[in-house]
Amino acid sequence: MVTTPYQLVLPAGFPQDVKIPASNPLTEEGVALGRMLFYEPKLSRNNTMSCGSCHQQSKAFTDGKALALGVDGMPNTRGAMSLANILWEPTLNWEGAAVGLETQARQPIENPVEMHQRLGEGVSKLQQTESYPPLFHKAFGSRTITEENVLKALAQFERTLISANSRYDKYLRGETQLSSQEIAGKVLFSSHPDPTIPVAGADCMHCHNEGNRLFTSTDYTRGAASSFFNNGLDATLTDQGRFTVTGLESDRGKFRAPTLRNIALTAPYMHDGRFQTLEQVLDHYSDHVAKNSPNLDVNLQTATNKRNATQLSLSAGQKKQVIAFLLTLTDSSFIQDKRFSDPFKP
């Protein structure tokens, strides 16, 4: 079997030492097969749903719903996360239950409230087609389709979903300028609040690091330890979040901080989709953080821009400035890139 290595281009400024399993190197054949499987409804119980149903390219690979809906019309307990730049994520899903792309896809495929079909049954369907056995032979050297190779191909395709060409990226490359409103939002985004100084801060950077260009909290070099936060949505927890994985009391109510890239395209927001707009998100962080929420992140406990205040207390104008900056993170080329589109549609 001879395969063609896939030339993965890592954007300048992004972490360069990515971790791709030696057992699943990227190949042109594997990525192309993974793209087909990503949009293949035969992997669902009634042949109506694919990975692409809940991860739509036009919405930066989310689905626009508060809670993802499965093949039987049942809602999940959480919304679909964006798949942009998951190449750099050591853990996946809101609570970090999956620790690698080669294992992650099995869960939504087999989950009764998602695609609701044993992966083995999907493999049997693919084996009976004329098109898939030769494609698996090209990618993996055998016409016999296996669960392992289905997951490997999906992982290969998903690793290519890189978003790095927003207006903000072009600004950093010196190709365009940001407005004064957007620059002010960037300063707020990156500043820690301190009521003793005149410069306000929105404190966003603690959970959404712009320094590594990913706009998440993940330190991919150290794993998942610092990737989960309780952001003060509720005083009484209805979803235990990371605790369901680790069993640690200190993880109750903690969730992954999702990337802010393409955030204008990925509403509604939060793990349960409770906020419909970015204005509502900014209102929460500015004025409505539940200070008595268990395990509330330390940066949200006392952060404020006003003396003797208990909340962050951004002004209406400052909220608009932060949102103006967030809108610069939309990558139009990413959502239009034919390499990521549904191959079954013209």
Side-chain angles (χ1 to χ4, degrees):
M1 178 189 70
V2 178
T3 55
T4 305
Y6 184 91
Q7 299 301 317
L8 186 68
V9 179
L10 300 180
F14 280 58
Q16 297 295 300
D17 52 339
V18 297
K19 297 173 174 60
I20 298 176
S23 59
N24 192 27
L26 297 186
T27 67
E28 292 283 352
E29 296 80 4
V31 170
L33 174 58
R35 178 187 171 201
M36 293 183 67
L37 293 171
F38 186 86
Y39 291 101
E40 178 53 69
K42 289 184 176 64
L43 292 178
S44 69
R45 182 185 60 77
N46 59 7
N47 303 321
T48 63
M49 189 174 188
S50 70
C51 302
S53 299
C54 289
H55 299 285
Q56 300 167 22
Q57 185 180 12
S58 63
K59 298 179 178 67
F61 293 93
T62 61
D63 64 357
K65 296 181 175 66
L67 302 176
L69 297 178
V71 293
D72 301 309
M74 296 174 59
N76 205 316
T77 58
R78 300 171 184 149
M81 300 191 81
S82 173
L83 300 183
N85 299 331
I86 57 172
L87 169 68
W88 285 277
E89 291 293 341
T91 58
L92 304 153
N93 303 337
W94 283 103
E95 78 297 327
V99 293
L101 284 171
E102 280 73 17
T103 60
Q104 187 276 334
R106 181 185 294 275
Q107 192 255 339
I109 290 173
E110 297 189 340
N111 190 333
V113 297
E114 296 186 65
M115 296 170 73
H116 199 180
Q117 176 175 258
R118 300 293 297 177
L119 181 55
E121 295 178 24
V123 166
S124 297
K125 292 180 186 179
L126 299 177
Q127 190 72 63
Q128 293 168 19
T129 66
E130 292 185 6
S131 57
Y132 278 109
L135 292 174
F136 274 87
H137 183 264
K138 287 182 180 180
F140 298 109
S142 174
R143 293 176 64 91
T144 300
I145 301 173
T146 65
E147 296 181 26
E148 179 184 17
N149 286 341
V150 167
L151 296 174
K152 281 185 173 182
L154 284 169
Q156 287 192 44
F157 171 66
E158 290 169 349
R159 287 192 172 99
T160 69
L161 301 176
I162 295 176
S163 177
N165 198 35
S166 66
R167 281 188 58 238
Y168 178 63
D169 295 299
K170 293 175 183 178
Y171 162 76
L172 292 177
R173 298 196 297 261
E175 299 170 8
T176 191
Q177 294 297 315
L178 300 184
S179 70
S180 58
Q181 186 88 335
E182 292 163 345
I183 290 293
K186 180 182 184 300
V187 172
L188 282 163
F189 183 98
S190 305
S191 299
H192 184 78
D194 184 345
T196 67
I197 61 176
V199 178
D203 224 25
C204 309
M205 73 293 187
H206 291 297
C207 297
H208 301 283
N209 182 4
E210 65 171 316
N212 62 14
R213 307 287 178 89
L214 299 175
F215 286 90
T216 70
S217 62
T218 299
D219 182 346
Y220 74 104
T221 62
R222 295 192 292 111
S226 62
S227 302
F228 300 88
F229 304 90
N230 177 345
N231 60 349
L233 291 174
D234 301 295
T236 302
L237 303 177
T238 57
D239 188 329
Q240 302 300 315
R242 182 69 172 161
F243 173 81
T244 62
V245 176
T246 67
L248 298 175
E249 288 296 326
S250 58
D251 281 336
R252 285 192 187 274
K254 291 185 177 181
F255 296 90
R256 260 181 64 202
T259 181
L260 296 183
R261 285 187 170 273
N262 302 295
I263 193 68
L265 306 175
T266 60
Y269 306 106
M270 306 299 163
H271 66 277
D272 55 6
R274 68 178 63 190
F275 298 138
Q276 296 296 313
T277 67
L278 288 173
E279 285 78 9
Q280 291 174 339
V281 172
L282 265 293
D283 285 346
H284 164 72
Y285 285 116
S286 173
D287 309 309
H288 302 296
V289 171
K291 298 295 183 174
N292 56 344
S293 185
N295 304 313
L296 178 66
D297 184 72
V298 63
N299 291 297
L300 297 176
Q301 291 176 11
T302 59
T304 183
N305 286 291
K306 294 183 178 180
R307 293 181 184 273
N308 303 317
T310 59
Q311 296 283 345
L312 183 61
S313 302
L314 296 172
S315 70
Q318 289 165 342
K319 293 175 188 177
K320 290 180 180 179
Q321 290 171 339
V322 173
I323 292 174
F325 172 64
L326 293 177
L327 296 183
T328 71
L329 302 180
T330 301
D331 182 352
S332 298
S333 60
F334 177 65
I335 63 173
Q336 298 171 3
D337 196 321
K338 294 295 184 183
R339 295 174 300 170
F340 310 145
S341 65
D342 186 341
F344 302 112
K345 292 182 178 179

